[in-house]
Amino acid sequence: MRINLEYTINAPLEAVWHVIGDGFADIGAWATPIPASRANATPVTLLGAPVAGRACDLSTPGFSTIHETLVEYDPLAHRFTFTVDRGLPQFVTTARNSWALTPLDATTTHFTMRAEATTHGVLGYLATPFLWLNLRRTLRISGEDLVHFVESGTVSPRKARQLAKRDDQYAGA
């Protein structure tokens, strides 16, 4: 299963890289499908990488927390690849995502996401369409949230509602 998404972001490449590359562990601050994220404690092994990986709490039904590891990180080429190491259903064999930036001009950046996942067994076969739809939706929303965040400097309205709801829950506790 493969999903490819592309976005044009009206911001300089370095501004986008600061959010997704330098801020790899902080995706939960701006992406609605990820209510919270944090760097994992593994020592950094990739030259230039800000962290070795991250843990992401998911808002996708059927998932809770996934753990991702950077397997490629190239700050000069403005691209990285990460794998999901823990937190996926047992029928998912591998999950990998590559993000890359390309400058279109001094103030516009092309952003691509290339996700791949493989499944196995009867359950994997049956669940693949559901998994594909959920993954595509998660990536699409994350991409839209990134565009909004970088272009406006604020979280998307969708993420703002999520944060407000979380704050209301903590205030009532």
Side-chain angles (χ1 to χ4, degrees):
M1 155 178 40
R2 289 191 172 107
I3 298 170
N4 299 319
L5 296 173
E6 301 182 19
Y7 296 88
T8 299
I9 303 175
N10 295 312
L13 180 136
E14 289 301 329
V16 183
W17 182 253
H18 178 70
V19 173
I20 68 166
D22 299 334
F24 178 78
D26 302 322
I27 190 171
W30 53 264
T32 306
I34 304 166
S37 64
R38 58 216 161 273
N40 67 21
T42 307
V44 176
T45 58
L46 296 174
L47 186 62
V51 296
R54 64 188 176 199
C56 298
D57 299 334
L58 301 180
S59 61
T60 305
F63 295 89
S64 58
T65 301
I66 60 170
H67 297 266
E68 302 169 333
T69 299
L70 283 166
V71 294
E72 176 194 353
Y73 190 87
D74 189 338
L76 298 177
H78 300 97
R79 68 175 179 245
F80 58 82
T81 299
F82 57 94
T83 59
V84 180
D85 302 319
R86 287 185 290 151
L88 292 174
Q90 290 184 346
F91 61 83
V92 178
T93 309
T94 61
R96 180 181 185 92
N97 201 334
S98 297
W99 292 13
L101 302 177
T102 308
L104 297 176
D105 59 38
T107 61
T108 311
T109 303
H110 184 249
F111 169 54
T112 60
M113 287 189 275
R114 307 274 186 250
E116 298 179 21
T118 56
T119 61
H120 70 278
V122 173
L123 189 54
Y125 175 77
L126 295 173
T128 293
F130 172 76
L131 184 65
W132 187 88
L133 287 172
N134 275 324
L135 181 57
R136 182 164 175 75
R137 180 179 181 275
T138 297
L139 293 174
R140 180 185 52 78
I141 291 171
S142 296
E144 292 169 0
D145 286 352
L146 174 65
V147 171
H148 187 279
F149 185 70
V150 174
E151 290 182 355
S152 72
T154 62
V155 297
S156 71
R158 182 173 35 220
K159 182 67 175 184
R161 286 189 301 274
Q162 180 188 68
L163 293 172
K165 184 177 178 183
R166 183 185 68 189
D167 291 347
D168 288 346
Q169 288 173 341
Y170 286 130

